[in-house]
Amino acid sequence: MAEWRRQVFRLLFLALFFFAGVILGQVFSSQVPDAAGEELTRYLTDFLEVERADQSPCAALSAAVLYFRYPLAAFLMGFASIGVVLLPLTTGAFGFFLSFSVCCFTAAFGSDGVLLALAVFGLRCAVTLPCYFLLAVPSLERSVTLVCLSFGRGRRTAPVVYGRAWWSRLAVLSGVLLAGMCADLMLTPLFLRQLLERMLAG
């Protein structure tokens, strides 16, 4: 029971940084110039042209980076005591850049921006956010233990163990991320094309 409470506390601790990043992203997005709408339209149009040109290796590499960067970073930070500092900062950065991007879409396109943001970020967030926190919380636990060991409290701290559950979690969540990435590559261009054609026609 005590262990479960500690896990919940770590989750809430990281979630606090995530929502702080979300708020900062909203604040900074208000400074985006009005010309951002044209740039975003050009970016999305170029994205669809690349997809039509069947440059699948490039698209797959880009999608892999978007899907795996934060979860993999969270996993690796569990091997270092500095993860105590970097994990909250990374979580805040995750929330900031996500919020900033979504707010830029909504500010530039209004109600259509909500749909565009949903098409671009919806599936990715539904997959990456749970995977990130499922990896970040255990990593924060390991990092805290490493800090305690580094500062001479090792006799009162359980040893750092990276057992089967640690690696199994990574394997399962990597499979989930890979499945989400493949679904994103197939579905997102279709949604974007329909939305952009409707917007440009209007």
Side-chain angles (χ1 to χ4, degrees):
M1 191 66 174
E3 177 61 26
W4 180 82
R5 289 179 179 176
R6 286 194 291 268
Q7 295 289 352
V8 172
F9 173 78
R10 296 184 190 104
L11 175 61
L12 294 176
F13 175 73
L14 292 175
L16 180 65
F17 279 87
F18 180 81
F19 286 114
V22 168
I23 294 172
L24 284 176
Q26 293 175 345
V27 171
F28 278 89
S29 67
S30 63
Q31 309 299 322
V32 175
D34 296 335
E38 298 179 2
E39 295 178 2
L40 284 172
T41 302
R42 187 163 51 250
Y43 165 78
L44 293 173
T45 304
D46 292 343
F47 170 81
L48 292 177
E49 289 179 354
V50 169
E51 189 270 335
R52 287 194 188 101
D54 195 27
Q55 298 185 12
S56 53
C58 180
L61 179 60
S62 177
V65 171
L66 292 174
Y67 268 79
F68 282 87
R69 57 181 174 178
Y70 286 112
L72 185 58
F75 174 78
L76 293 176
M77 288 177 201
F79 292 98
S81 57
I82 193 65
V84 169
V85 176
L86 293 182
L87 270 168
L89 293 178
T90 302
T91 306
F94 194 172
F96 174 84
F97 288 112
L98 175 60
S99 174
F100 182 83
S101 301
V102 171
C103 288
C104 286
F105 274 97
T106 55
F109 301 112
S111 59
D112 288 330
V114 177
L115 296 175
L116 282 172
L118 184 61
V120 174
F121 304 108
L123 178 59
R124 189 199 314 168
C125 290
V127 175
T128 58
L129 274 174
C131 290
Y132 174 80
F133 282 103
L134 285 170
L135 290 171
V137 170
S139 289
L140 183 61
E141 177 189 3
R142 300 308 196 281
S143 295
V144 169
T145 304
L146 289 170
V147 168
C148 293
L149 290 171
S150 299
F151 285 91
R153 292 178 55 191
R155 285 174 293 181
R156 290 181 290 173
T157 305
V160 183
V161 178
Y162 302 95
R164 179 178 299 178
W166 173 267
W167 298 104
S168 297
R169 184 185 301 110
L170 175 65
V172 171
L173 294 178
S174 295
V176 173
L177 289 168
L178 184 60
M181 184 190 79
C182 293
D184 202 339
L185 287 170
M186 292 186 292
L187 298 176
T188 297
L190 298 177
F191 293 150
L192 277 179
R193 185 178 297 111
Q194 293 177 356
L195 287 172
L196 287 176
E197 288 176 352
R198 192 191 70 176
M199 290 171 57
L200 295 176

